[in-house]
Amino acid sequence: MSPASVERRSVPSRIAFSTLAFPDATLAAAASAGRRWGYSGIELRLIDGELIDPALPAARRAQVRRTLAAGGLPAVAVDSSIRLTGEDPGPDLRRFLQLASDWEAPLVRVFGGDLDPPPARQDRLRAAARVLEEAVPLAARLGVAIGVETHDAFSASSAVGELLALLSADRVPSDLVGAVWDSHHPHRMGETPAEVYANLGPRILLAQVKDARLTEDGDWRLVLLGAGEVPVRDMLGLLAAGGYRTGSRWNGRSAGTPRSRTPRWPSPSTWSC
């Protein structure tokens, strides 16, 4: 893909943005800006600056749905803070699946959570797999998939792949439970895009694109696309070659950006893929 021109104010097709990029904006304002800049969808991490409460009352849910419809951008995912290895994540996962269905989003993003050293590690993985398997009947009925992000103890795609391999192929269709590939975390864990794709390729439900670079003090700082060292071009090339047809999204918040300020958003020309 080549960068879109600033004059056209368009981006490559099927590119969404996360509301995490607008910590101080209303959902309506974020959707309006994304539409002006040519994005094709919106990933819901914040709503009116707040993390999503899975117990939102019906009236508030309906209000969000109306805002999305008026904004003209479909929701590509609803991002939860659920950790599959945490304390009883099942009820919240079911609530998020219902939220996503109400907002016509095809995916709920979850985190894997923490993992213990062996041999307890395998017990935590099996427990996380059970949470996913128990959620499948509702996910299938609602038509909403579950994506486990490369994050926390599952930052390496090999860990996500290990979890997904524990799921029963008979009971868990690959289009209902899969992976969310965050470009940054596997890279900082030492994995190449080719290794990530080998581990997750057929199960990738959403790709999250961000760039970062390692600072002198050993921390990672998120930067505008093309200004870091994450091999985003290679990632997107593998997805395109493999027939990936779902959405990609740009995270939009740089590391260290205070949530009290509006972060620096890219114009379409900052897409370097």
Side-chain angles (χ1 to χ4, degrees), residues 1-22:
M1 292 182 291
S2 61
S5 67
V6 178
E7 290 76 14
R8 292 185 180 179
R9 302 193 68 76
S10 61
V11 293
S13 62
R14 302 294 292 165
I15 300 292
F17 71 94
S18 170
T19 54
L20 188 63
F22 282 98

Side-chain angles (χ1 to χ4, degrees), residues 12 22 49 55 59 84 98 124 180 182 185 202 219 227-228 230 234 238 269:
F22 282 98
L84 298 174
Q98 188 61 62
R124 298 290 289 270
V180 175
D182 175 291
H185 293 302
D219 294 328
V230 178
D234 294 344
L238 286 165
S269 63

Side-chain angles (χ1 to χ4, degrees), residues 2 6 43 51 57 66 79 93 96 123 130 135 138 148-150 157 161 181 194 204 209 211 214 216 222 226 253:
S2 61
V6 178
E43 185 172 357
L51 293 174
R66 289 192 298 270
D79 290 349
L93 179 52
F96 265 98
D123 293 336
R130 283 194 297 272
L138 178 60
V148 183
E149 184 175 330
T150 51
S157 65
W181 181 0
I204 295 170
V209 179
D211 205 349
L214 193 61
E216 292 182 356
L222 298 182
R253 188 171 67 88

Side-chain angles (χ1 to χ4, degrees), residues 109-132:
R109 188 284 307 278
V110 300
F111 297 133
D114 296 326
L115 285 174
D116 298 319
R121 182 178 189 278
Q122 201 63 21
D123 293 336
R124 298 290 289 270
L125 284 169
R126 281 193 289 264
R130 283 194 297 272
V131 173
L132 292 170

